Amino acid sequence: MGCELTVEIAKSDVKVSGNVCKIGDIYGREETTAPARNIATSVKVEGGDLPMLSIKTSHPIPKNKIMDCINAVHSVKVQAPINVGDIVLGNVANTGVAFVATRKIIKL
């Protein structure tokens, strides 16, 4: 909805105001205490009908691990065939999160 949130942090207590729904409260708390992001990128494909495969993280990763995850996937090449949801790289940067394929690649 695009609410304008105010988040107050005092010791271990987090107060969120300005939200009109529960999602705003959850977002405000997570964004201030443990920000995380989804990453989408691509990797090279060998032996497939397309030269690149789009991939994304299976779950959000901690914001401070983004560059570690990008560096880990930078040199990855996959072999066709590939299906949507196939794990391309598991437990990336020790986050417990995987990069998964977002499209199908047919083997030539």
Side-chain angles (χ1 to χ4, degrees):
M1 294 181 75
C3 304
E4 188 171 319
L5 301 177
T6 300
V7 181
E8 297 175 46
I9 303 171
K11 295 187 182 182
S12 62
D13 187 39
V14 178
K15 245 191 245 188
V16 178
S17 59
N19 57 300
V20 294
C21 65
K22 182 89 173 148
I23 294 171
D25 182 69
I26 293 167
Y27 174 80
R29 289 172 189 281
E30 288 177 353
E31 191 62 18
T32 55
T33 59
R37 300 288 184 270
N38 288 304
I39 298 175
T41 187
S42 57
V43 293
K44 292 181 182 180
V45 176
E46 294 180 345
D49 63 334
L50 295 171
M52 300 294 285
L53 169 68
S54 58
I55 61 173
K56 68 174 186 150
T57 49
S58 58
H59 297 87
I61 58 159
K63 197 172 173 183
N64 65 350
K65 290 282 195 167
I66 289 174
M67 288 312 299
D68 293 339
C69 292
I70 294 297
N71 290 336
V73 78
H74 180 72
S75 61
V76 171
K77 291 180 185 175
V78 295
Q79 295 288 325
I82 299 151
N83 291 302
V84 174
D86 284 355
I87 294 174
V88 172
L89 183 63
N91 191 24
V92 63
N94 294 317
T95 60
V97 177
F99 272 103
V100 296
T102 63
R103 70 169 302 142
K104 183 175 184 167
I105 303 281
I106 299 169
K107 185 176 182 174
L108 291 180

